[in-house]
Amino acid sequence: MAEVDTEINGYIVPKNSQIFVNKWTIGRDSNIWSNPDSFDPERFLKREIDIRGQGFDLIPSGSGKRMCPGFPLATRMVPLMVETMIHNFNWKPKKGMKPEEVDVSEKFGVALQKAVPLKAIPIKL
Ligand code: HEM
């Protein structure tokens, strides 16, 4: 039995609970986003969004101490990669497919972790 529970919005959260935040749902909340299921990148030009984990309308890289530690690298690397590909090639969908027919559906998945963390001891040369 947990020693101290916490109450958040009327929900009892037992001490030591493992919490999964469904950020997929947050990013598709129709109270926050209009036409949340449409592919509409321009929506991000229309409003100020903090993706560094402090604004909770969109938390692509997590928040707080469990946020992606590679975030500063990712925010530079991903745009550079996409821009380089757009700059160097013209793109089209596969033969016979119209752009609006491209399937952008997702497959469910959860990243796993090692059950037993690897501990390596550095040895002086
Ligand atoms: C293109 C670069 C990268 C992208 C797009 C990326 C993306 C992400 C995303 C989406 C998450 C999930 C955040 C969440 O739980 O909500 C994540 C978590 C994480 N990333 Fe990255 N990442 C990148 C680079 C890196 C690098 C370079 C490192 C390590 C040096 C790293 C280490 C991690 C770790 C350890 C977590 C899990 C944090 C935790 O749950 O405790 N990532 N990353």
Side-chain angles (χ1 to χ4, degrees):
M1 181 66 189
E3 286 170 37
V4 182
D5 298 343
T6 304
E7 190 182 327
I8 301 173
N9 282 350
Y11 293 94
I12 305 294
V13 182
K15 188 183 174 193
N16 297 328
S17 297
Q18 194 164 28
I19 312 290
F20 289 87
V21 176
N22 189 344
K23 61 182 188 172
W24 188 95
T25 307
I26 296 171
R28 284 166 182 77
D29 186 343
S30 56
N31 293 316
I32 303 170
W33 304 101
S34 54
N35 301 321
D37 292 324
S38 314
F39 177 68
D40 176 17
E42 285 81 11
R43 72 173 78 236
F44 300 110
L45 299 172
K46 294 173 201 152
R47 68 188 257 195
E48 194 85 3
I49 300 166
D50 179 358
I51 55 160
R52 290 167 298 172
Q54 298 301 311
F56 298 105
D57 291 1
L58 190 70
I59 41 174
S61 303
S63 177
K65 66 179 179 182
R66 296 302 301 268
M67 167 169 195
C68 171
F71 181 78
L73 176 74
T75 48
R76 287 163 179 81
M77 212 169 99
V78 175
L80 181 68
M81 188 183 75
V82 175
E83 286 155 10
T84 304
M85 291 195 303
I86 292 173
H87 184 74
N88 288 297
F89 299 97
N90 287 322
W91 295 84
K92 61 175 186 178
K94 70 178 181 187
K95 206 170 174 200
M97 185 183 260
K98 295 186 193 124
E100 60 274 21
E101 290 170 351
V102 173
D103 186 352
V104 290
S105 58
E106 292 121 353
K107 197 167 76 172
F108 181 75
V110 177
L112 298 179
Q113 303 175 12
K114 279 178 66 58
V116 180
L118 172 69
K119 287 190 182 167
I121 296 134
I123 304 165
K124 205 169 179 184
L125 291 176

